[in-house]
Amino acid sequence: MRDLGGLWSDLTDLVLPAGCAGCAERAPGLRQGFCSRCVGELESLRPAPTRPDPAPPGLPPCVALGPYAGPLRHGLLAYKERGRHGLARPLGALLAEVVAAAVGPRRPVTLVAVPDTARAARSRYGDHLDRLARHAADRLRAAGWPVRVLRPLRALPRPDSVALDSAGRAAAADAAFRLRRAGGADGSVVLLDDIVTTGATLAAVSRVLRDAGMTPKAAAVLAATQKRHHQ
């Protein structure tokens, strides 16, 4: 079982008519979240360091639960884009595992999630990463970690990153975040995001926090995209 407690009760919770978030299976008695096969795949993942190549300046050490593939990818898409907000608890529990791996021995931590833009938050009925951060904090506190969740940043409107190349992502990220308030961090500051691709967003957020005296120790993400090598 995991150091922060078994995930089965989180990954398979209240009965819902929706299929498995990881494979869309509609087996009899399927519960909210993931089927037993997808739970097994998710529980087999272990947080590990990851780093885009090339890494943007200012990117802190980054730890990911696994590659952006399989049940993890499909679960994130179901949560973010298909309104399966009940997945915030199991995904937040998984993110807590990544935070623990990124920080090391138990100590006070401050979690800072990359904020959604106002438009994205409206479309998702709330800031999706803020929900994950709060569930991750709950799991860490239950395991005895002193945890704070801060929202020191606001996100400005920016172009859809899907249509941008690496240089475009970096430029958009640099202009995308503003400090709302500084201070209040305890212990190690850990940035949270769901997916790391080029690292431009995490690096931009890290620079803003560093200038405010809140230098992140690490970034914790659920998934890391894999760079494709063309023949």
Side-chain angles (χ1 to χ4, degrees):
M1 302 299 281
R2 300 276 184 140
D3 292 340
L4 298 184
L7 295 174
W8 177 260
S9 62
D10 287 316
L11 293 167
T12 59
D13 199 0
L14 303 176
V15 175
L16 285 182
C20 170
C23 66
E25 178 68 31
R26 290 178 175 268
L30 182 69
R31 295 172 178 269
Q32 173 185 340
F34 302 86
C35 67
S36 59
R37 182 180 61 193
C38 289
V39 167
E41 290 190 40
L42 290 170
E43 289 200 315
S44 71
L45 298 174
R46 292 294 181 268
T50 186
R51 199 150 189 89
D53 183 18
L59 180 67
C62 189
V63 177
L65 179 66
Y68 186 53
L72 185 58
R73 175 179 180 272
H74 293 300
L76 281 169
L77 287 172
Y79 170 59
K80 289 175 61 176
E81 311 300 341
R82 298 176 193 137
R84 302 253 329 238
H85 297 152
L87 295 171
R89 189 173 78 174
L91 291 175
L94 292 170
L95 189 56
E97 298 282 350
V98 185
V99 172
V103 173
R106 187 183 304 165
R107 68 188 71 180
V109 295
T110 294
L111 305 181
V112 177
V114 174
D116 270 341
T117 63
R119 180 179 180 181
R122 285 194 300 270
S123 70
R124 294 167 179 159
Y125 298 96
D127 189 310
H128 78 290
L129 275 167
D130 183 61
R131 283 194 296 263
L132 293 185
R134 295 188 183 282
H135 283 288
D138 288 344
R139 175 54 65 97
L140 289 163
R141 290 188 190 109
W145 289 64
V147 181
R148 296 191 68 187
V149 178
L150 293 185
R151 300 186 65 188
L153 305 173
R154 64 187 180 96
L156 305 179
R158 58 186 184 270
D160 187 345
S161 61
V162 173
L164 301 175
D165 59 14
S166 296
R169 284 174 181 255
D174 279 337
F177 302 100
R178 294 291 183 272
L179 192 69
R180 298 196 309 177
R181 64 179 69 90
D186 294 330
S188 300
V189 176
V190 180
L191 295 184
L192 304 181
D193 207 349
D194 49 2
I195 305 163
V196 61
T197 301
T198 65
T201 296
L202 287 170
V205 169
S206 181
R207 288 192 291 270
V208 174
L209 292 177
R210 183 189 62 219
D211 291 345
M214 298 172 60
T215 301
K217 173 183 176 64
V221 303
L222 285 170
T225 60
Q226 305 298 297
K227 190 171 184 179
R228 295 180 180 179
H229 298 282
H230 299 286
Q231 300 295 327

